[in-house]
PDB file of all heavy atoms in Angstrom:
ATOM      1  N   VAL A  89       8.453 -13.046  18.425  1.00  0.00           N
ATOM      2  CA  VAL A  89       9.114 -14.346  18.446  1.00  0.00           C
ATOM      3  C   VAL A  89       9.716 -14.505  17.054  1.00  0.00           C
ATOM      4  O   VAL A  89       8.999 -14.574  16.067  1.00  0.00           O
ATOM      5  CB  VAL A  89       8.139 -15.502  18.745  1.00  0.00           C
ATOM      6  CG1 VAL A  89       8.885 -16.820  18.832  1.00  0.00           C
ATOM      7  CG2 VAL A  89       7.372 -15.233  20.028  1.00  0.00           C
ATOM      8  N   THR A 143       7.774  -7.067   2.426  1.00  0.00           N
ATOM      9  CA  THR A 143       8.681  -6.744   1.324  1.00  0.00           C
ATOM     10  C   THR A 143       8.416  -7.462   0.008  1.00  0.00           C
ATOM     11  O   THR A 143       8.946  -7.051  -1.019  1.00  0.00           O
ATOM     12  CB  THR A 143      10.130  -7.027   1.748  1.00  0.00           C
ATOM     13  OG1 THR A 143      10.235  -8.346   2.287  1.00  0.00           O
ATOM     14  CG2 THR A 143      10.593  -6.022   2.805  1.00  0.00           C
ATOM     15  N   SER A 194      11.792 -10.928  -9.623  1.00  0.00           N
ATOM     16  CA  SER A 194      12.460 -10.449 -10.831  1.00  0.00           C
ATOM     17  C   SER A 194      11.767 -10.954 -12.089  1.00  0.00           C
ATOM     18  O   SER A 194      11.600 -10.196 -13.064  1.00  0.00           O
ATOM     19  CB  SER A 194      13.925 -10.884 -10.823  1.00  0.00           C
ATOM     20  OG  SER A 194      14.575 -10.466  -9.637  1.00  0.00           O
ATOM     21  N   ASP A 224      29.189 -11.650 -12.892  1.00  0.00           N
ATOM     22  CA  ASP A 224      29.702 -11.172 -14.173  1.00  0.00           C
ATOM     23  C   ASP A 224      28.551 -11.084 -15.178  1.00  0.00           C
ATOM     24  O   ASP A 224      27.951 -12.100 -15.534  1.00  0.00           O
ATOM     25  CB  ASP A 224      30.781 -12.123 -14.687  1.00  0.00           C
ATOM     26  CG  ASP A 224      31.468 -11.608 -15.947  1.00  0.00           C
ATOM     27  OD1 ASP A 224      31.019 -10.580 -16.497  1.00  0.00           O
ATOM     28  OD2 ASP A 224      32.449 -12.232 -16.396  1.00  0.00           O
ATOM     29  N   ASP A 238      17.541   2.731 -26.149  1.00  0.00           N
ATOM     30  CA  ASP A 238      17.342   4.008 -25.467  1.00  0.00           C
ATOM     31  C   ASP A 238      17.346   3.836 -23.950  1.00  0.00           C
ATOM     32  O   ASP A 238      17.748   4.744 -23.213  1.00  0.00           O
ATOM     33  CB  ASP A 238      16.000   4.633 -25.877  1.00  0.00           C
ATOM     34  CG  ASP A 238      15.883   4.830 -27.373  1.00  0.00           C
ATOM     35  OD1 ASP A 238      16.885   5.219 -27.999  1.00  0.00           O
ATOM     36  OD2 ASP A 238      14.783   4.585 -27.913  1.00  0.00           O
ATOM     37  N   THR A 297       6.653  14.747   3.742  1.00  0.00           N
ATOM     38  CA  THR A 297       5.496  14.822   4.626  1.00  0.00           C
ATOM     39  C   THR A 297       5.981  14.781   6.070  1.00  0.00           C
ATOM     40  O   THR A 297       7.071  14.264   6.354  1.00  0.00           O
ATOM     41  CB  THR A 297       4.523  13.658   4.378  1.00  0.00           C
ATOM     42  OG1 THR A 297       5.210  12.415   4.643  1.00  0.00           O
ATOM     43  CG2 THR A 297       4.027  13.661   2.935  1.00  0.00           C
ATOM     44  N   HIS A 327       2.960  -0.989  11.960  1.00  0.00           N
ATOM     45  CA  HIS A 327       1.960   0.026  12.284  1.00  0.00           C
ATOM     46  C   HIS A 327       0.596  -0.318  11.673  1.00  0.00           C
ATOM     47  O   HIS A 327      -0.442  -0.086  12.294  1.00  0.00           O
ATOM     48  CB  HIS A 327       2.428   1.402  11.818  1.00  0.00           C
ATOM     49  CG  HIS A 327       3.292   2.105  12.813  1.00  0.00           C
ATOM     50  ND1 HIS A 327       2.808   2.613  13.998  1.00  0.00           N
ATOM     51  CD2 HIS A 327       4.629   2.360  12.823  1.00  0.00           C
ATOM     52  CE1 HIS A 327       3.789   3.177  14.680  1.00  0.00           C
ATOM     53  NE2 HIS A 327       4.908   3.032  13.998  1.00  0.00           N
ATOM     54  N   ASP A 353      -7.182   4.228   3.930  1.00  0.00           N
ATOM     55  CA  ASP A 353      -6.682   5.598   4.076  1.00  0.00           C
ATOM     56  C   ASP A 353      -6.008   5.819   5.428  1.00  0.00           C
ATOM     57  O   ASP A 353      -6.134   6.878   6.043  1.00  0.00           O
ATOM     58  CB  ASP A 353      -7.821   6.610   3.889  1.00  0.00           C
ATOM     59  CG  ASP A 353      -8.327   6.635   2.453  1.00  0.00           C
ATOM     60  OD1 ASP A 353      -7.536   6.360   1.526  1.00  0.00           O
ATOM     61  OD2 ASP A 353      -9.523   6.910   2.258  1.00  0.00           O
TER      62      ASP A 353
END
Side-chain angles (χ1 to χ4, degrees):
V89 183
T143 51
S194 305
D224 186 353
D238 303 320
T297 61
H327 274 289
D353 292 330

